[in-house]
Amino acid sequence: MDILAAAEKIRSMEVRGASRIARFAAQVLKEYAMKVRDNFDEEMKKASQILLNTRPTAVSLFNAINYIMRYRGRSLEEKREDLIRRAEEFISWIDTAQKRIAEIGEKRIKDGYTLLTHCNSSTAIAVIKKAHEMGKRIEVIATESRPRWQGHLTAKQLKNAGIDVTVIVDSAVRFFMKEVDMVIVGADTVTANGALINKIGTSQIALCAKEARVPFVVAAETYKFSPRTLAGELVLIEERSAEEVLPKELLGMGIKARNPAFDVTPRDYIDVILTEIGAIPPEMAYFVIKERLGYEEILDEEMKICDFD
Ligand code: RUB
């Protein structure tokens, strides 16, 4: 696929969700590498930059590209082969991590539980589906997730798996929290200090959960942890167009709208993060980054997407 067209699919949210974006970028880079005839390094670097400049918040995209672009080789063919291998490795990391998280996470869900989820996280859904497959009777409350209605996707995916699901408006979370046994959400990014960046509204849900003493669980593969935050960088919160929030008529009257796509939930509100290397407290985020994502290179200098030396 053409790189610009691929980038547009991510930007327009035809391809969305942190894991899907990472998988898609890996696949696109792999296919592009197969076609490059000369100037391999430059061409791949350009393609990576175009993909990176689509949505800024989910670090999975950065981690996928960074992983793949660490290919090595003397000849063009060697480089191509190594890049393809690395892209395939990353894709299989996504698959195996999600499966493992589902196995780890379902143990937290008891028979008869009502779960609440927000937005549309393939990883949180994998955990819920696994609990259902293990024979636990569960009900799910799914928030609509305005303004893009990802909650509808979640509701359909759960219903198709035979799970009882109820959709509520985002502002009804506190009203229903007393009926909830556990909140489970996905992650776009986990920072070095254990904070969660996820769909706008997640932090309000965490606040309600804490007030009601309901466990707040995050399902996040280790490639959702941000090495850049170790180097002191803050996570950029994507702000999308006002047109996603208000009809043209109101915008035409000069009424403004703000549309941040994500928010930050501090680690004090998080009970546990389910990763493929275990169920960890958010305080462990630093070690996950250090052990899994190449700590030295980050402190060395600004992380490069291409390191061809
Ligand atoms: C999606 C979102 C999801 C995470 C995790 O936001 O916030 O909770 O990306 O998803 P958007 P997954 O719809 O704006 O991309 O678990 O599938 O990686």
Side-chain angles (χ1 to χ4, degrees), residues 13 16-19 55 119-123 150 187-188 198-199 224 262:
M13 293 176 63
R16 47 144 300 279
S19 295
R55 297 191 73 194
C119 193
N120 177 253
S121 157
S122 57
T123 317
Q150 289 94 331
D188 284 89
N198 192 51
K199 180 54 54 195
K224 311 256 178 81
F262 302 98

Side-chain angles (χ1 to χ4, degrees), residues 181-193:
D181 297 293
M182 184 177 126
V183 174
I184 181 160
V185 295
D188 284 89
T189 294
V190 178
T191 67
N193 67 357

